[in-house]
Amino acid sequence: MTTREARGMPAAATEEEQVARYLTHNPEFFERHQPLLARLRLPHARSGATISLIERQVEVLRERHAALEEKLAEFVRVARANDAVAEKIQRFTRRLLRAPDRAAAIEQIEASLREDFDAFHSVLVLIAPAGALPEQRFVRRVAADDPNLKSFESLFANGKPRCGQARDTQREFLFPADGKDIGSVALIPLGEKGSVGLLALGSTDRDRFHPGMSTEFLARLGELISDALARP
């Protein structure tokens, strides 16, 4: 009894391993035995009919080619999507650069989110003392100790955008008029650990903002907004 058989491995499996190992180390084997190569028949992957080894190799190459083409197409789709978002970020940046002061910057932020990013449900929550900024539909001013900020503590501690479903209390605070219609949200902390506040983007589509999506562009958006709000 061999060592492999003692370990419970069938003799047939051992022989197959030996044949595979031999052919791997002796690729010229079929060159020396071409009649054998012509007689080898393999089952077709889909039809079940037998085909030659060469036909099977061609079939495998075609499948690999199709898989590579699909990967390439996916790369192209992702690249085009990234280019589109990058262009929107550039337009957003130019809007902020042209704004002469903080109030004008806030107007441009709201307009760009609506016109360039199709974010029709958005709110800018700013941590600021009373009277620092006028109240608007887009802007919510809260004190640093506002109890409504408690539900965002983990977001601020992490310091990174978060996408997915919002808690009921968060939706009611952020979107009091249409919170029930909001299916998904993107929450973007502003400033170091949310020291400035947060930007919330809501959508009626439950899949628009999901946990698996990349948040790199959202983070860049947050950085631009934080810098724009730092001006007088």
Side-chain angles (χ1 to χ4, degrees), residues 30-65:
F30 288 110
E31 289 293 332
R32 301 195 305 267
H33 301 82
Q34 292 189 14
L36 173 62
L37 179 63
R39 292 198 303 271
L40 288 176
R41 310 297 292 178
L42 298 172
H44 191 278
R46 288 179 290 275
S47 67
T50 59
I51 57 176
S52 69
L53 180 60
I54 295 177
E55 290 174 314
R56 181 59 180 273
Q57 288 176 323
V58 171
E59 180 184 359
V60 170
L61 290 176
R62 284 175 178 168
E63 291 175 352
R64 289 179 180 176
H65 179 70

Side-chain angles (χ1 to χ4, degrees), residues 70-83:
E70 178 59 30
K71 286 184 179 181
L72 179 60
E74 178 63 21
F75 288 151
V76 171
R77 286 193 293 268
V78 172
R80 287 176 176 170
N82 287 341
D83 284 345

